[in-house]
Amino acid sequence: MAGVEEKDVSGVEEEKATPSTAPDAAAATAGGGEEEAGKHGDEEDTGAQIAPIVKLQEVSISTGEENEDVLLDIKAKLYRFDKDGAQWKERGVGQVKLLQHQQTKKVRLLMRQSRTLKICANHVVLASTTLQEHAGSDKAWVWHAPDYSDGTLKEELFCIRFGSIESAQKFKDAFESAQEEVSLKSEKDEEAADATAGLLDKLKVEGESKDEAAAVVGNEASDSKDD
């Protein structure tokens, strides 16, 4: 019996010893496989470049603001008063701008929604427009304007709200400054128009005088022939 026990023990030791060598063999096999794969990979890399199927061309997009100077650019939230529902409706959150045309010097208010860039306000700044506080708030202003954001010109009642008193005051100052500039330009245009009209009237009077003088001379010549 003692001999059998020794034989069983030795058999167990041999079985235990056998698996210990398996990881080393597997590692060696894996290592060799990776080396061979690396060699094959190096051999297969020809350095060829595949051209894209579709070529995208750069397209220039016109925003309509190319010929305008930015007088103000500030973030705000805009509302429009719905007459049918008798309530304020949000038009969007985005950057409100005051833009002055480089040639005509006209100033317009333009606001786009931040994500969609959809126009939610687009109207000319008029000297007659009046900004008023909304419900006593020093962060919001209300005004009327003939707006063109929907593609058709129609009178709108807007309310714009800012994140701080400083931003609201900055908007008001820039808006009123633009109004003053527009008012001065209108006066200059009227003066220039009056001067042009006066010059035309003067030329007209001088032309009529010349015609009358020519007519008198013609009559005198006719009388002398008769004599």
Side-chain angles (χ1 to χ4, degrees):
M1 295 297 291
V4 173
E5 291 179 358
E6 290 178 2
K7 186 176 180 180
D8 294 339
V9 172
S10 62
V12 173
E13 289 177 354
E14 288 178 9
E15 290 177 358
K16 289 182 177 180
T18 302
S20 63
T21 59
D24 296 334
T29 303
E34 290 177 358
E35 291 179 1
E36 291 183 1
K39 290 179 181 178
H40 289 302
D42 294 339
E43 291 175 358
E44 293 176 357
D45 187 8
T46 60
Q49 296 182 355
I50 301 175
I53 299 175
V54 180
K55 292 184 179 180
L56 299 178
Q57 295 182 351
E58 209 173 299
V59 179
S60 59
I61 299 176
S62 175
T63 61
E65 306 173 25
E66 290 77 12
N67 298 323
E68 296 173 307
D69 296 326
V70 180
L71 304 180
L72 178 73
D73 187 353
I74 192 169
K75 187 176 182 180
K77 180 181 288 188
L78 186 69
Y79 299 86
R80 179 185 66 85
F81 188 75
D82 182 15
K83 296 179 181 178
D84 296 332
Q87 61 180 342
W88 289 101
K89 288 189 175 181
E90 182 179 335
R91 296 213 79 178
V93 178
Q95 297 296 124
V96 58
K97 298 180 181 180
L98 291 179
L99 305 172
Q100 184 175 39
H101 198 276
Q102 296 173 356
Q103 294 181 352
T104 63
K105 299 304 179 182
K106 291 183 178 180
V107 180
R108 66 167 174 152
L109 183 148
L110 177 68
M111 184 171 177
R112 298 178 185 269
Q113 295 179 4
S114 296
R115 296 183 179 179
T116 63
L117 298 182
K118 180 181 178 182
I119 297 177
C120 49
N122 182 23
H123 67 80
V124 177
V125 175
L126 302 175
S128 58
T129 304
T130 303
L131 292 179
Q132 298 178 343
E133 289 186 354
H134 175 61
S137 173
D138 47 9
K139 294 182 182 180
W141 303 106
V142 177
W143 75 96
H144 283 275
D147 184 68
Y148 196 74
S149 59
D150 293 334
T152 56
L153 192 65
K154 58 182 179 180
E155 192 72 20
E156 295 282 10
L157 177 60
F158 288 118
C159 176
I160 192 166
R161 183 176 179 83
F162 298 90
S164 65
I165 299 175
E166 292 76 13
S167 297
Q169 188 61 42
K170 185 178 180 180
F171 172 81
K172 185 173 186 292
D173 293 342
F175 194 95
E176 292 179 346
S177 177
Q179 285 181 302
E180 292 177 2
E181 190 168 348
V182 169
S183 179
L184 290 174
K185 184 180 181 304
S186 298
E187 292 178 0
K188 290 180 180 180
D189 290 343
E190 289 178 1
E191 291 176 358
D194 292 341
T196 302
L199 181 60
L200 291 174
D201 290 339
K202 184 178 180 182
L203 292 174
K204 184 178 179 181
V205 171
E206 290 178 353
E208 290 176 351
S209 300
K210 289 180 180 180
D211 292 340
E212 290 176 357
V216 170
V217 172
N219 292 332
E220 291 178 350
S222 173
D223 294 339
S224 62
K225 287 181 180 180
D226 293 339
D227 295 339

